[in-house]
mmCIF file with all atom_site columns, all heavy atoms in Angstrom:
data_model
loop_
_atom_site.group_PDB
_atom_site.id
_atom_site.type_symbol
_atom_site.label_atom_id
_atom_site.label_alt_id
_atom_site.label_comp_id
_atom_site.label_asym_id
_atom_site.label_entity_id
_atom_site.label_seq_id
_atom_site.pdbx_PDB_ins_code
_atom_site.Cartn_x
_atom_site.Cartn_y
_atom_site.Cartn_z
_atom_site.occupancy
_atom_site.B_iso_or_equiv
_atom_site.pdbx_formal_charge
_atom_site.auth_seq_id
_atom_site.auth_comp_id
_atom_site.auth_asym_id
_atom_site.auth_atom_id
_atom_site.pdbx_PDB_model_num
ATOM   1  N  N   . TYR A 1 50  ? 28.200 -1.150 39.150 1.00 96.00 ? 50  TYR A N   1
ATOM   2  C  CA  . TYR A 1 50  ? 28.332 -0.920 37.758 1.00 96.00 ? 50  TYR A CA  1
ATOM   3  C  C   . TYR A 1 50  ? 28.550 0.606  37.394 1.00 96.00 ? 50  TYR A C   1
ATOM   4  O  O   . TYR A 1 50  ? 29.204 1.028  36.485 1.00 96.00 ? 50  TYR A O   1
ATOM   5  C  CB  . TYR A 1 50  ? 27.141 -1.447 36.962 1.00 96.00 ? 50  TYR A CB  1
ATOM   6  C  CG  . TYR A 1 50  ? 27.424 -1.477 35.482 1.00 96.00 ? 50  TYR A CG  1
ATOM   7  C  CD1 . TYR A 1 50  ? 27.989 -2.692 34.971 1.00 96.00 ? 50  TYR A CD1 1
ATOM   8  C  CD2 . TYR A 1 50  ? 27.224 -0.416 34.686 1.00 96.00 ? 50  TYR A CD2 1
ATOM   9  C  CE1 . TYR A 1 50  ? 28.284 -2.732 33.604 1.00 96.00 ? 50  TYR A CE1 1
ATOM   10 C  CE2 . TYR A 1 50  ? 27.544 -0.467 33.303 1.00 96.00 ? 50  TYR A CE2 1
ATOM   11 C  CZ  . TYR A 1 50  ? 28.078 -1.645 32.764 1.00 96.00 ? 50  TYR A CZ  1
ATOM   12 O  OH  . TYR A 1 50  ? 28.440 -1.692 31.482 1.00 96.00 ? 50  TYR A OH  1
ATOM   13 N  N   . HIS A 1 53  ? 31.632 2.407  36.046 1.00 96.00 ? 53  HIS A N   1
ATOM   14 C  CA  . HIS A 1 53  ? 32.056 2.415  34.670 1.00 96.00 ? 53  HIS A CA  1
ATOM   15 C  C   . HIS A 1 53  ? 31.609 3.665  33.986 1.00 96.00 ? 53  HIS A C   1
ATOM   16 O  O   . HIS A 1 53  ? 32.445 4.396  33.492 1.00 96.00 ? 53  HIS A O   1
ATOM   17 C  CB  . HIS A 1 53  ? 31.550 1.118  33.956 1.00 96.00 ? 53  HIS A CB  1
ATOM   18 C  CG  . HIS A 1 53  ? 31.730 1.115  32.508 1.00 96.00 ? 53  HIS A CG  1
ATOM   19 N  ND1 . HIS A 1 53  ? 32.988 1.208  31.962 1.00 96.00 ? 53  HIS A ND1 1
ATOM   20 C  CD2 . HIS A 1 53  ? 30.916 1.041  31.454 1.00 96.00 ? 53  HIS A CD2 1
ATOM   21 C  CE1 . HIS A 1 53  ? 32.917 1.193  30.560 1.00 96.00 ? 53  HIS A CE1 1
ATOM   22 N  NE2 . HIS A 1 53  ? 31.607 1.095  30.317 1.00 96.00 ? 53  HIS A NE2 1
ATOM   23 N  N   . HIS A 1 77  ? 25.418 5.563  28.299 1.00 95.00 ? 77  HIS A N   1
ATOM   24 C  CA  . HIS A 1 77  ? 25.786 4.707  27.152 1.00 95.00 ? 77  HIS A CA  1
ATOM   25 C  C   . HIS A 1 77  ? 25.526 3.235  27.282 1.00 95.00 ? 77  HIS A C   1
ATOM   26 O  O   . HIS A 1 77  ? 25.405 2.526  26.304 1.00 95.00 ? 77  HIS A O   1
ATOM   27 C  CB  . HIS A 1 77  ? 27.221 4.980  26.779 1.00 95.00 ? 77  HIS A CB  1
ATOM   28 C  CG  . HIS A 1 77  ? 28.236 4.183  27.548 1.00 95.00 ? 77  HIS A CG  1
ATOM   29 N  ND1 . HIS A 1 77  ? 28.770 4.612  28.756 1.00 95.00 ? 77  HIS A ND1 1
ATOM   30 C  CD2 . HIS A 1 77  ? 28.862 2.959  27.314 1.00 95.00 ? 77  HIS A CD2 1
ATOM   31 C  CE1 . HIS A 1 77  ? 29.651 3.706  29.169 1.00 95.00 ? 77  HIS A CE1 1
ATOM   32 N  NE2 . HIS A 1 77  ? 29.701 2.678  28.353 1.00 95.00 ? 77  HIS A NE2 1
ATOM   33 N  N   . ASP A 1 78  ? 25.412 2.726  28.521 1.00 93.00 ? 78  ASP A N   1
ATOM   34 C  CA  . ASP A 1 78  ? 25.106 1.290  28.695 1.00 93.00 ? 78  ASP A CA  1
ATOM   35 C  C   . ASP A 1 78  ? 23.681 1.101  29.157 1.00 93.00 ? 78  ASP A C   1
ATOM   36 O  O   . ASP A 1 78  ? 23.314 -0.130 29.375 1.00 93.00 ? 78  ASP A O   1
ATOM   37 C  CB  . ASP A 1 78  ? 26.103 0.658  29.655 1.00 93.00 ? 78  ASP A CB  1
ATOM   38 C  CG  . ASP A 1 78  ? 27.450 0.286  28.977 1.00 93.00 ? 78  ASP A CG  1
ATOM   39 O  OD1 . ASP A 1 78  ? 27.426 0.024  27.755 1.00 93.00 ? 78  ASP A OD1 1
ATOM   40 O  OD2 . ASP A 1 78  ? 28.487 0.199  29.653 1.00 93.00 ? 78  ASP A OD2 1
ATOM   41 N  N   . GLU A 1 109 ? 28.173 -1.185 19.852 1.00 75.00 ? 109 GLU A N   1
ATOM   42 C  CA  . GLU A 1 109 ? 28.329 -2.293 20.699 1.00 75.00 ? 109 GLU A CA  1
ATOM   43 C  C   . GLU A 1 109 ? 27.790 -3.603 20.113 1.00 75.00 ? 109 GLU A C   1
ATOM   44 O  O   . GLU A 1 109 ? 28.344 -4.695 20.269 1.00 75.00 ? 109 GLU A O   1
ATOM   45 C  CB  . GLU A 1 109 ? 27.779 -2.021 22.080 1.00 75.00 ? 109 GLU A CB  1
ATOM   46 C  CG  . GLU A 1 109 ? 28.883 -1.531 22.983 1.00 75.00 ? 109 GLU A CG  1
ATOM   47 C  CD  . GLU A 1 109 ? 28.579 -0.675 24.193 1.00 75.00 ? 109 GLU A CD  1
ATOM   48 O  OE1 . GLU A 1 109 ? 27.482 -0.821 24.727 1.00 75.00 ? 109 GLU A OE1 1
ATOM   49 O  OE2 . GLU A 1 109 ? 29.421 0.114  24.569 1.00 75.00 ? 109 GLU A OE2 1
ATOM   50 N  N   . ASP A 1 164 ? 35.042 4.541  26.579 1.00 95.00 ? 164 ASP A N   1
ATOM   51 C  CA  . ASP A 1 164 ? 34.500 3.324  27.071 1.00 95.00 ? 164 ASP A CA  1
ATOM   52 C  C   . ASP A 1 164 ? 35.536 2.192  27.000 1.00 95.00 ? 164 ASP A C   1
ATOM   53 O  O   . ASP A 1 164 ? 35.827 1.488  28.017 1.00 95.00 ? 164 ASP A O   1
ATOM   54 C  CB  . ASP A 1 164 ? 33.291 2.889  26.200 1.00 95.00 ? 164 ASP A CB  1
ATOM   55 C  CG  . ASP A 1 164 ? 32.708 1.514  26.551 1.00 95.00 ? 164 ASP A CG  1
ATOM   56 O  OD1 . ASP A 1 164 ? 32.255 1.307  27.667 1.00 95.00 ? 164 ASP A OD1 1
ATOM   57 O  OD2 . ASP A 1 164 ? 32.746 0.675  25.665 1.00 95.00 ? 164 ASP A OD2 1
ATOM   58 N  N   . ASN A 1 168 ? 37.544 0.130  30.005 1.00 95.00 ? 168 ASN A N   1
ATOM   59 C  CA  . ASN A 1 168 ? 37.547 -1.328 29.992 1.00 95.00 ? 168 ASN A CA  1
ATOM   60 C  C   . ASN A 1 168 ? 38.999 -1.869 29.966 1.00 95.00 ? 168 ASN A C   1
ATOM   61 O  O   . ASN A 1 168 ? 39.212 -2.875 30.612 1.00 95.00 ? 168 ASN A O   1
ATOM   62 C  CB  . ASN A 1 168 ? 36.782 -1.866 28.794 1.00 95.00 ? 168 ASN A CB  1
ATOM   63 C  CG  . ASN A 1 168 ? 35.283 -1.671 28.987 1.00 95.00 ? 168 ASN A CG  1
ATOM   64 O  OD1 . ASN A 1 168 ? 34.808 -1.543 30.122 1.00 95.00 ? 168 ASN A OD1 1
ATOM   65 N  ND2 . ASN A 1 168 ? 34.546 -1.620 27.928 1.00 95.00 ? 168 ASN A ND2 1
HETATM 66 MN MN1 . LIG B 2 .   ? 30.415 0.595  28.398 1.00 59.17 ? 1   LIG B MN1 1
#
Side-chain angles (χ1 to χ4, degrees):
Y50 197 90
H53 172 60
H77 85 271
D78 278 334
E109 265 158 29
D164 174 63
N168 286 336

